[in-house]
Amino acid sequence: MAAKQQLKDILENWDSTREGRGLHSLIAALYPICRSITGEGLRQSLRLLQQHVPLSLCEVPTGDQVFDWTIPREWNIRDAWIKNERGQKVVDFAKSNLHVVNYSVPVRLRMGLAELKQHLFSLPETPDWIPYRTSYYRETWGFCVTQRQLEMLEEGEYEVRIDSTLAPGHLTYGEFRIQGATDEEVLISCHSCHPSLCNDNLSGMTIAARLAALLQNVPLRYSYRFVWVPGTIGAIAWLARNEAETGRIRHGLVLSCLGDRGPFTYKRSRRGNAEIDRVVAQALSRPATGHSILDFVPYGYDERQYCSPGFNLPVGVLMRTPNGRYPEYHTSADNLDLVDAGALGESLGLLLRIVLRLEKNRVCINQNPKCEPQLGRRGLYRTMGGLKDSPEREMAMLWVLNFSDGSHSLLDIAERSSLDFAVLEQAAAALEEHNLLRPAG
Amino acid sequence: MAAKQQLKDILENWDSTREGRGLHSLIAALYPICRSITGEGLRQSLRLLQQHVPLSLCEVPTGDQVFDWTIPREWNIRDAWIKNERGQKVVDFAKSNLHVVNYSVPVRLRMGLAELKQHLFSLPETPDWIPYRTSYYRETWGFCVTQRQLEMLEEGEYEVRIDSTLAPGHLTYGEFRIQGATDEEVLISCHSCHPSLCNDNLSGMTIAARLAALLQNVPLRYSYRFVWVPGTIGAIAWLARNEAETGRIRHGLVLSCLGDRGPFTYKRSRRGNAEIDRVVAQALSRPATGHSILDFVPYGYDERQYCSPGFNLPVGVLMRTPNGRYPEYHTSADNLDLVDAGALGESLGLLLRIVLRLEKNRVCINQNPKCEPQLGRRGLYRTMGGLKDSPEREMAMLWVLNFSDGSHSLLDIAERSSLDFAVLEQAAAALEEHNLLRPAG
Amino acid sequence: MAAKQQLKDILENWDSTREGRGLHSLIAALYPICRSITGEGLRQSLRLLQQHVPLSLCEVPTGDQVFDWTIPREWNIRDAWIKNERGQKVVDFAKSNLHVVNYSVPVRLRMGLAELKQHLFSLPETPDWIPYRTSYYRETWGFCVTQRQLEMLEEGEYEVRIDSTLAPGHLTYGEFRIQGATDEEVLISCHSCHPSLCNDNLSGMTIAARLAALLQNVPLRYSYRFVWVPGTIGAIAWLARNEAETGRIRHGLVLSCLGDRGPFTYKRSRRGNAEIDRVVAQALSRPATGHSILDFVPYGYDERQYCSPGFNLPVGVLMRTPNGRYPEYHTSADNLDLVDAGALGESLGLLLRIVLRLEKNRVCINQNPKCEPQLGRRGLYRTMGGLKDSPEREMAMLWVLNFSDGSHSLLDIAERSSLDFAVLEQAAAALEEHNLLRPAG
């Protein structure tokens, strides 16, 4: 069996733009599909990801009780339009799947403009953008249109057609697990229910797939579980089906909005100071990335469920510009132009650096705790004295030795010293080689 | 029996100016009376408050030992003046009771200007103001005069008369208790010994009386004990007589200087992070009032006694401009002009908001802790998805649900979420109605 | 036996300039001696200090194992030079002992300029300064020269001579102990191995000697142990020989760079919040000295050894401008001009104020914890009431009484009140006299 590639080798050869171009192509392939929290569009999207990583499709039947919720009927849609008196399609689902309120019931009606307008949604402030609206749990129908479309509608009778079905079926989610040296797990979750919206969340879906593909080829300490779930109901269904196994989750991240050009944003887990929270903060700080770190709040993405008090899992959210904070959010302007290959590649690179820290963080024990060991005679330290500054590598060894008393992890030492985690980890490895250090426990 | 009015109803119909006008009238009625730490002026003031709330007058006899202190003789004064050689009253107690050093012994003397001046106190920097001075525990006498009065005194012989008595009697304090659903108590204390000084502390005395009058008509969880005590010795006497019951005090406030136009100041209890400290800070922050919060220091008002280490009660001090921080402090300029009806009414309104928080703060338990409950099907949540922002009411429900794990009170959640306490409390009440939440314990 | 002088008397009569002039003279006497981590120069320096304080010279034989290290051979040097073809000495140890790389092996060689240059060290950016270099543990030789010297060297053959010896002998350190009322110890340590460098660390060596001389004449609660040790190996040797006694060390300071004109710098012990860390911070803050306080890092001076995880002693470092932060550091410009008599005297004064705090800090118990005691009838408090401000002495008594509940030391109270430690300590003493306070335990 061939020796596996190491994580640090992947990072040392990282090319954000090249990786990002691959991600952008995958987003472009997924973009036209009409996803929802159930249905064929969702299945088709997950099957497309299977070309990159062998994820499984899991089907949860309509009517299944998942905690306080019930799996709804499956929604599928073939076509939808509004025709004016002259038979012209003034709104057409074929042009953008955002035109239909997601989960609209089937409709075949004629009505006047006034009545029709009660079912139309637009964004007056951005008159060329189509809003994204859903109505999963209340039976209704509607169309989302640009403000310009709305304003051009004349008085008269309209023919309205939504060729959708709401019928017993399944909710589908994707899952992929990599077995590491231990059963302790890292959970990576992304919502996969949004139709033609690129940043939210084709960016997260594709980055998760590519991360999974990369990690399945490197030796790992943790096991990694990737889930592509419809927002809210999908995460709840996954938790309901995997409740017994959630105790293994040591760290977790929700991925979303990772393709725009904004700086990174990390939203802490409900615990606030979990290892994942500290690892991400440390990875973002070296080099400093102009990022923001936000405290947990109980709205946002599926961290709402993972961090509900009955689970309280150590799951944070990695984003660039957060949901609701960019004007294109939940509109047709969250398109292929909004997401950038370089940004996508950089996001994936950051995730690899986070994984490296999770994998390599450990508590070590100094085997020579009384005074410093003589590093010089082991070739680990300069022999000329009197210099003003020490190389970072030597300082890293002194930090690791001094604080490896059994109560400080390498992450603790990185935080305290402001040295780069990778440099500290290499120092620890060198000291371990010389039997000056050993892993605790 | 008629249904009692609710605290929140009083607050919803609050009119600071109207309430303040009533308080200002009461201050005006109390203003001319010469109070001290004992004597008829003190009794007369408390009897005047009885017209608004049925407080009891408690009498502690001269000579009683109260911890390290002894109740002094009772001081009463009828008249006092200084006459010049022409028989003109150059200083006259009838014009301001501040003219006599409080607790001056009786005097009937003739003396030259030089000797007289050793008994005169003035404020050179504010030449029209009479200072306020006392000498409770050292037998002496003196007059407080304006700097202009002092400068107009000519050489010659003066006749000095203080028609006061120092004789066995009593120290008087006022007390009023409202029995709530539990015996746990909230203590409201104000010093009531100062003569014609409005902000310090007719403002506190009258606001305490009005707060008591309002609270006796609403259903309450806590019992409330109001005390009007002479400064220092009165608080010590009260503590000595009620030592066994101090264990019931869960929260307390000293009220002083609540009528000037300055922003609010809260001085924390010695504990520093007692519930009262957090409740007041929270009440001041929503809406932000440009207030100050000060750490406990062992000088100031009667919190010195309540927070002495042998008691260490959770008692803070609510003020506007603190003692010693406004130029009129302890001078004749602390008069009816310094205190403002609007400010007085607003201070009382703040106290009601503090009481509301004390009354309504509680720890709740989410009855559906694994994932979010489906609020939409209970009519508690919007059914249209995709919107950018959530209404505050919905966010409040999510906060309450997520953090009601048995270790967070509504106050904790208010601090963490920066949402208004009242909105969170209403969210909790709605969730309790739907059996999604129940009070802990 | 004559009554001993008190520490506070010394401080009240402190004259920084006069004291500093004495220290500067002593530095001038020590300056020309060529010290190293072993050898006659080190011994000669310690003997010179014996004129001021009766310290002992301790000899550790070559080859002794001290933890991970071995005592090296003793190094002595008589002369060294480089001659050009004309027989002129172009570099001469007699002019500055910094010219030879410390611990150079004996050399008698002829070589061309190119080969010679491999053994020459200079500082291009400060062309008139000689660098300080050492090679204790790798056998080599070298000369340190000014950049101007280096540039004037012509092509040709050079004669190189280092008349040094490396032979079995001893490592020498100095030690002095003052027995106090208890066996609990304060450790004062300074590295004493640097040749002609004044701030680093003749300043520390001489201040330690003078502090020892002063303290041996005052009554003390703690015992004080002063050590003058060669850097690193000397501290390690001292710790190896005194390991059993290190448990007695309650507080410690490493002294270095205390003569330059910069503001004070304190580097915290590894513990970070040891009493010594708080005492030094408090002493520096009153009056505010524009000082810096740095967290522990595992490089610097001998705190590296005292704070190694197997010892973790509460030892900080007191400096003015820290090592490596002033341009003259480890060069011939760290000379008699760099160190200032006033600065030296002020550093010693600060040490005395630190010692005063260590000696006088204690936990007291208020004997009258319920309400305030009546200070006025004991003559401890003003009798006239109504004044705007209280004297600091009275506030100090109230602070001490309120917080002397058994869990706050005088240092805690100083930190919380921002009052001067000395004023608080005097208040405590006055209250103890009146039996209102007693020391805890």
Side-chain angles (χ1 to χ4, degrees):
Chain A
M1 186 180 154
K4 283 188 164 189
Q5 194 183 14
Q6 296 291 323
L7 205 49
K8 67 170 184 170
D9 301 330
I10 299 177
L11 273 165
E12 274 165 19
N13 300 304
W14 194 248
D15 179 339
S16 279
T17 311
R18 195 194 55 200
E19 275 290 339
R21 276 199 290 261
L23 290 163
H24 200 277
S25 300
L26 186 49
I27 288 174
L30 290 158
Y31 180 59
I33 303 170
C34 182
R35 279 164 294 278
S36 179
I37 57 170
T38 62
E40 277 308 315
L42 177 57
R43 280 187 199 95
Q44 189 186 343
S45 302
L46 297 174
R47 282 193 207 108
L48 211 150
L49 293 179
Q50 281 178 326
Q51 298 174 8
H52 298 266
V53 66
L55 61 88
S56 310
L57 269 63
C58 308
E59 302 282 352
V60 191
T62 297
D64 261 24
Q65 189 71 15
V66 288
F67 297 117
D68 191 53
W69 301 62
T70 309
I71 301 296
R73 286 175 295 170
E74 187 173 322
W75 184 69
N76 283 288
I77 181 163
R78 274 161 302 273
D79 197 7
W81 40 255
I82 302 172
K83 285 187 185 164
N84 63 14
E85 289 181 343
R86 293 184 295 281
Q88 296 164 321
K89 286 187 181 172
V90 293
V91 181
D92 187 357
F93 174 76
K95 293 196 177 156
S96 167
N97 55 47
L98 294 181
H99 273 316
V100 172
V101 170
N102 205 293
Y103 251 70
S104 282
V105 296
V107 168
R108 172 168 259 167
L109 287 170
R110 287 180 172 276
M111 60 186 70
L113 182 59
E115 191 184 345
L116 176 63
K117 277 190 172 173
Q118 291 171 22
H119 292 269
L120 300 184
F121 303 92
S122 68
L123 297 167
E125 294 187 9
T126 49
D128 292 318
W129 297 357
I130 310 163
Y132 163 57
R133 293 288 177 271
T134 69
S135 185
Y136 302 135
Y137 302 105
R138 195 172 70 89
E139 288 195 15
T140 186
W141 62 270
F143 283 84
C144 297
V145 296
T146 68
Q147 182 68 12
R148 297 207 198 285
Q149 278 178 301
L150 186 70
E151 285 165 7
M152 288 176 63
L153 295 182
E154 295 163 5
E155 289 299 326
E157 200 185 52
Y158 287 88
E159 188 185 351
V160 177
R161 175 84 166 105
I162 298 180
D163 182 11
S164 66
T165 55
L166 268 167
H170 296 82
L171 172 146
T172 314
Y173 63 80
E175 185 163 11
F176 179 66
R177 189 173 182 280
I178 304 170
Q179 177 67 44
T182 69
D183 285 338
E184 302 194 329
E185 283 189 4
V186 178
L187 174 71
I188 305 290
S189 173
C190 52
H191 64 281
S192 304
C193 50
H194 285 194
S196 296
L197 299 168
C198 287
N199 199 33
D200 177 23
N201 188 28
L202 292 173
S203 67
M205 288 168 68
T206 53
I207 285 175
R210 181 68 183 134
L211 179 64
L214 287 167
L215 291 189
Q216 67 180 332
N217 294 321
V218 301
L220 293 166
R221 162 187 173 191
Y222 288 110
S223 295
Y224 286 75
R225 191 184 293 263
F226 294 81
V227 297
W228 291 261
V229 290
T232 305
I233 184 71
I236 293 171
W238 185 83
L239 280 164
R241 291 197 153 197
N242 295 274
E243 187 175 351
E245 296 178 53
T246 54
R248 294 183 191 165
I249 297 173
R250 292 286 165 275
H251 321 286
L253 284 176
V254 166
L255 304 186
S256 181
C257 301
L258 283 165
D260 66 271
R261 292 162 177 87
F264 287 111
T265 303
Y266 178 67
K267 174 179 167 181
R268 291 193 182 98
S269 76
R270 182 180 185 270
R271 300 184 188 183
N273 201 25
E275 189 172 335
I276 185 68
D277 300 322
R278 296 170 54 211
V279 156
V280 176
Q282 209 279 330
L284 286 168
S285 70
R286 297 277 310 184
T289 57
H291 59 279
S292 303
I293 294 187
L294 308 176
D295 276 327
F296 177 76
V297 295
Y299 32 88
Y301 292 110
D302 288 326
E303 71 279 9
R304 292 161 68 146
Q305 314 311 327
Y306 302 126
C307 298
S308 59
F311 287 109
N312 196 22
L313 296 174
V315 174
V317 186
L318 191 66
M319 303 170 275
R320 284 176 170 277
T321 309
N323 49 308
R325 304 286 178 85
Y326 53 99
E328 301 88 350
Y329 174 75
H330 277 191
T331 76
S332 56
D334 183 354
N335 59 22
L336 288 165
D337 294 334
L338 186 70
V339 292
D340 175 70
L344 288 161
E346 196 190 40
S347 297
L348 180 54
L350 172 62
L351 276 161
L352 287 171
R353 294 198 294 124
I354 290 166
V355 169
L356 178 82
R357 280 156 176 76
L358 290 174
E359 289 286 317
K360 296 293 187 186
N361 187 28
R362 61 191 181 275
V363 175
C364 298
I365 309 280
N366 180 341
Q367 299 299 290
N368 189 80
K370 291 187 173 168
C371 301
E372 294 171 355
Q374 196 178 3
L375 298 174
R377 67 174 161 87
R378 293 171 175 94
L380 296 171
Y381 210 75
R382 67 188 179 280
T383 55
M384 168 71 64
L387 299 166
K388 198 165 180 173
D389 297 311
S390 306
E392 195 177 42
R393 191 179 56 80
E394 292 183 2
M395 293 203 290
M397 277 188 287
L398 296 181
W399 275 105
V400 169
L401 284 169
N402 193 290
F403 285 96
S404 288
D405 55 4
S407 62
H408 296 89
S409 67
L410 292 180
L411 177 63
D412 292 324
I413 300 173
E415 288 177 344
R416 180 151 180 172
S417 69
S418 300
L419 292 175
D420 185 49
F421 182 89
V423 173
L424 284 167
E425 205 275 324
Q426 283 159 26
L431 293 166
E432 283 170 345
E433 239 171 70
H434 285 82
N435 297 315
L436 291 171
L437 202 70
R438 64 166 178 75
Chain B
M1 186 180 154
K4 285 188 163 188
Q5 194 183 13
Q6 296 291 323
L7 205 49
K8 65 169 185 170
D9 302 329
I10 299 178
L11 273 166
E12 275 165 18
N13 299 303
W14 194 248
D15 179 339
S16 280
T17 311
R18 194 193 55 199
E19 275 289 338
R21 276 199 291 261
L23 291 163
H24 200 277
S25 301
L26 187 49
I27 288 175
L30 289 159
Y31 180 57
I33 303 171
C34 182
R35 280 164 294 279
S36 180
I37 57 171
T38 63
E40 278 307 315
L42 176 58
R43 280 187 199 95
Q44 189 186 341
S45 301
L46 297 175
R47 283 194 205 108
L48 211 150
L49 294 180
Q50 281 177 326
Q51 298 173 9
H52 298 266
V53 67
L55 61 87
S56 309
L57 269 62
C58 308
E59 302 282 351
V60 192
T62 297
D64 260 26
Q65 190 70 16
V66 289
F67 296 117
D68 192 52
W69 301 62
T70 309
I71 302 297
R73 286 176 296 171
E74 186 174 323
W75 184 68
N76 283 290
I77 182 163
R78 273 161 301 274
D79 198 8
W81 41 255
I82 302 172
K83 285 187 185 166
N84 65 13
E85 288 182 345
R86 294 185 294 285
Q88 297 164 321
K89 286 187 182 173
V90 293
V91 182
D92 187 357
F93 175 74
K95 292 193 178 159
S96 168
N97 56 47
L98 294 181
H99 274 317
V100 172
V101 170
N102 204 292
Y103 252 70
S104 281
V105 296
V107 167
R108 171 166 260 165
L109 286 170
R110 287 181 173 276
M111 61 186 71
L113 181 59
E115 192 184 343
L116 176 62
K117 279 191 170 172
Q118 293 172 21
H119 291 269
L120 300 184
F121 303 93
S122 68
L123 297 165
E125 295 187 8
T126 49
D128 292 318
W129 297 357
I130 311 163
Y132 163 58
R133 292 288 177 272
T134 68
S135 186
Y136 302 134
Y137 301 105
R138 195 173 69 91
E139 288 195 15
T140 185
W141 62 270
F143 283 85
C144 298
V145 296
T146 69
Q147 181 69 11
R148 297 210 196 284
Q149 277 178 301
L150 187 71
E151 285 166 6
M152 287 175 62
L153 295 182
E154 295 162 6
E155 289 300 326
E157 200 185 53
Y158 286 89
E159 189 185 348
V160 176
R161 177 81 167 106
I162 298 180
D163 182 11
S164 67
T165 54
L166 269 168
H170 295 82
L171 172 147
T172 314
Y173 64 80
E175 185 164 10
F176 179 66
R177 188 172 182 283
I178 304 170
Q179 178 67 44
T182 69
D183 285 337
E184 302 196 330
E185 284 189 4
V186 178
L187 174 71
I188 305 290
S189 173
C190 52
H191 64 283
S192 304
C193 50
H194 285 194
S196 297
L197 299 168
C198 286
N199 199 33
D200 177 21
N201 189 26
L202 292 173
S203 68
M205 288 168 67
T206 54
I207 284 174
R210 182 68 183 133
L211 179 65
L214 287 168
L215 291 188
Q216 65 180 331
N217 294 321
V218 299
L220 294 166
R221 162 186 174 192
Y222 288 109
S223 296
Y224 286 74
R225 192 184 292 263
F226 294 81
V227 297
W228 292 261
V229 289
T232 305
I233 183 72
I236 293 171
W238 186 83
L239 280 164
R241 290 198 154 198
N242 295 276
E243 186 175 352
E245 295 178 53
T246 54
R248 293 183 192 165
I249 297 173
R250 290 287 165 274
H251 320 287
L253 284 176
V254 166
L255 305 186
S256 181
C257 302
L258 283 165
D260 66 272
R261 290 162 177 87
F264 287 110
T265 303
Y266 178 67
K267 174 180 166 180
R268 291 193 181 98
S269 76
R270 182 181 185 268
R271 299 184 188 183
N273 201 25
E275 189 173 336
I276 185 67
D277 299 321
R278 296 170 53 212
V279 156
V280 177
Q282 208 280 329
L284 286 168
S285 70
R286 297 277 313 186
T289 57
H291 59 279
S292 304
I293 294 187
L294 309 176
D295 276 326
F296 176 76
V297 296
Y299 32 88
Y301 292 111
D302 288 326
E303 71 279 10
R304 290 162 69 146
Q305 314 311 327
Y306 301 125
C307 298
S308 59
F311 287 109
N312 196 22
L313 296 174
V315 174
V317 186
L318 190 66
M319 303 171 274
R320 283 176 171 277
T321 309
N323 49 307
R325 303 285 177 85
Y326 54 98
E328 301 88 349
Y329 174 75
H330 278 191
T331 76
S332 55
D334 183 353
N335 60 22
L336 289 164
D337 293 334
L338 186 70
V339 291
D340 174 70
L344 288 161
E346 195 190 40
S347 297
L348 179 53
L350 172 61
L351 276 160
L352 287 171
R353 293 199 293 125
I354 290 166
V355 168
L356 178 81
R357 281 158 175 74
L358 290 174
E359 289 286 318
K360 296 293 188 187
N361 187 30
R362 60 190 182 275
V363 174
C364 298
I365 310 279
N366 180 339
Q367 299 300 290
N368 189 80
K370 291 187 174 170
C371 301
E372 293 171 356
Q374 195 177 4
L375 298 174
R377 67 172 160 90
R378 294 171 175 94
L380 296 171
Y381 210 74
R382 67 186 179 280
T383 55
M384 169 70 64
L387 299 166
K388 199 166 180 172
D389 296 311
S390 306
E392 195 177 43
R393 191 179 55 79
E394 292 183 3
M395 292 203 290
M397 277 188 287
L398 296 181
W399 275 104
V400 169
L401 285 168
N402 193 290
F403 285 96
S404 288
D405 56 3
S407 62
H408 295 89
S409 68
L410 293 180
L411 178 62
D412 292 324
I413 300 173
E415 289 177 343
R416 180 151 179 173
S417 68
S418 299
L419 292 175
D420 186 50
F421 182 89
V423 174
L424 285 167
E425 205 276 325
Q426 284 159 25
L431 292 166
E432 283 169 347
E433 239 172 71
H434 284 82
N435 297 316
L436 292 171
L437 202 70
R438 64 167 177 75
Chain C
M1 186 182 153
K4 283 188 163 187
Q5 195 183 12
Q6 297 291 323
L7 205 49
K8 67 170 183 168
D9 302 329
I10 299 177
L11 273 166
E12 274 165 20
N13 299 303
W14 193 249
D15 179 340
S16 278
T17 311
R18 194 194 56 198
E19 275 289 338
R21 277 199 290 261
L23 290 163
H24 200 278
S25 300
L26 185 50
I27 288 175
L30 289 158
Y31 181 57
I33 303 171
C34 182
R35 279 165 294 278
S36 180
I37 56 170
T38 63
E40 277 308 316
L42 176 58
R43 281 188 198 93
Q44 189 186 339
S45 301
L46 296 175
R47 282 195 206 107
L48 210 150
L49 293 180
Q50 282 178 325
Q51 297 173 10
H52 297 267
V53 66
L55 60 87
S56 308
L57 270 64
C58 308
E59 302 281 352
V60 191
T62 297
D64 261 26
Q65 190 71 15
V66 287
F67 297 117
D68 191 54
W69 301 63
T70 309
I71 301 296
R73 286 175 296 171
E74 185 174 323
W75 183 67
N76 283 289
I77 181 164
R78 272 161 303 274
D79 198 7
W81 41 255
I82 302 171
K83 284 188 185 164
N84 64 14
E85 288 182 344
R86 295 185 294 283
Q88 295 163 323
K89 287 187 181 171
V90 293
V91 182
D92 187 357
F93 175 74
K95 292 194 178 157
S96 167
N97 55 47
L98 294 181
H99 273 317
V100 173
V101 170
N102 204 293
Y103 252 72
S104 281
V105 297
V107 168
R108 171 167 261 167
L109 287 170
R110 288 180 172 276
M111 61 185 69
L113 182 60
E115 191 183 343
L116 176 61
K117 278 191 172 172
Q118 293 172 20
H119 291 268
L120 299 184
F121 303 93
S122 69
L123 297 166
E125 295 188 10
T126 49
D128 292 317
W129 297 357
I130 311 163
Y132 163 58
R133 293 287 177 271
T134 69
S135 186
Y136 302 135
Y137 302 103
R138 194 173 71 91
E139 288 195 16
T140 185
W141 63 269
F143 283 84
C144 298
V145 297
T146 69
Q147 181 68 10
R148 297 208 198 285
Q149 278 179 302
L150 187 72
E151 285 166 6
M152 287 175 64
L153 296 182
E154 296 163 3
E155 290 298 326
E157 200 185 53
Y158 287 88
E159 188 184 351
V160 177
R161 176 84 166 105
I162 298 179
D163 182 11
S164 67
T165 55
L166 269 168
H170 295 83
L171 171 148
T172 313
Y173 64 80
E175 185 163 12
F176 179 66
R177 189 173 183 281
I178 304 171
Q179 178 67 43
T182 68
D183 285 337
E184 301 195 329
E185 284 190 4
V186 178
L187 173 71
I188 304 290
S189 173
C190 53
H191 64 282
S192 304
C193 50
H194 285 194
S196 297
L197 298 168
C198 286
N199 199 33
D200 176 22
N201 187 26
L202 292 173
S203 67
M205 288 168 67
T206 54
I207 284 175
R210 182 67 184 134
L211 179 64
L214 286 167
L215 291 188
Q216 67 181 331
N217 294 320
V218 299
L220 294 166
R221 163 187 175 190
Y222 288 110
S223 295
Y224 287 74
R225 191 185 293 262
F226 294 80
V227 297
W228 291 261
V229 289
T232 305
I233 183 72
I236 293 171
W238 185 84
L239 280 164
R241 289 197 154 198
N242 294 274
E243 187 175 351
E245 295 178 53
T246 54
R248 293 183 192 165
I249 296 173
R250 292 287 164 275
H251 319 287
L253 283 176
V254 166
L255 305 186
S256 181
C257 302
L258 283 165
D260 66 272
R261 290 161 179 88
F264 287 110
T265 303
Y266 177 67
K267 174 180 166 180
R268 290 194 183 97
S269 76
R270 183 180 184 272
R271 299 185 188 183
N273 200 25
E275 190 173 334
I276 186 68
D277 299 321
R278 296 170 53 211
V279 156
V280 176
Q282 208 280 328
L284 285 168
S285 69
R286 297 276 311 183
T289 57
H291 59 279
S292 303
I293 295 187
L294 309 176
D295 276 328
F296 176 77
V297 294
Y299 32 87
Y301 292 111
D302 289 326
E303 71 279 10
R304 291 163 67 147
Q305 314 311 326
Y306 301 126
C307 297
S308 60
F311 288 108
N312 197 22
L313 296 174
V315 174
V317 186
L318 191 67
M319 303 170 274
R320 284 175 170 277
T321 309
N323 48 308
R325 302 287 177 85
Y326 53 98
E328 303 88 349
Y329 173 77
H330 278 190
T331 75
S332 56
D334 182 354
N335 59 23
L336 289 165
D337 294 333
L338 186 71
V339 292
D340 174 70
L344 288 161
E346 197 189 39
S347 296
L348 180 52
L350 171 62
L351 277 161
L352 287 171
R353 293 198 294 126
I354 290 166
V355 169
L356 178 82
R357 280 157 175 75
L358 291 174
E359 291 284 318
K360 296 292 186 187
N361 187 28
R362 60 189 182 275
V363 174
C364 298
I365 310 279
N366 180 342
Q367 299 299 289
N368 189 81
K370 290 188 173 167
C371 300
E372 294 172 355
Q374 196 178 4
L375 298 174
R377 68 174 160 86
R378 293 171 175 94
L380 296 172
Y381 211 73
R382 67 186 179 280
T383 56
M384 169 69 64
L387 300 166
K388 198 166 180 173
D389 296 311
S390 306
E392 194 178 42
R393 191 180 55 80
E394 292 184 3
M395 292 203 291
M397 276 187 288
L398 296 181
W399 275 104
V400 169
L401 284 168
N402 193 289
F403 286 96
S404 288
D405 56 3
S407 63
H408 296 90
S409 68
L410 292 180
L411 177 63
D412 292 324
I413 301 173
E415 288 177 344
R416 180 151 179 174
S417 68
S418 298
L419 292 175
D420 186 49
F421 182 89
V423 173
L424 285 166
E425 204 276 324
Q426 283 158 26
L431 293 166
E432 283 170 346
E433 241 172 68
H434 285 82
N435 298 314
L436 291 171
L437 202 72
R438 66 168 176 74

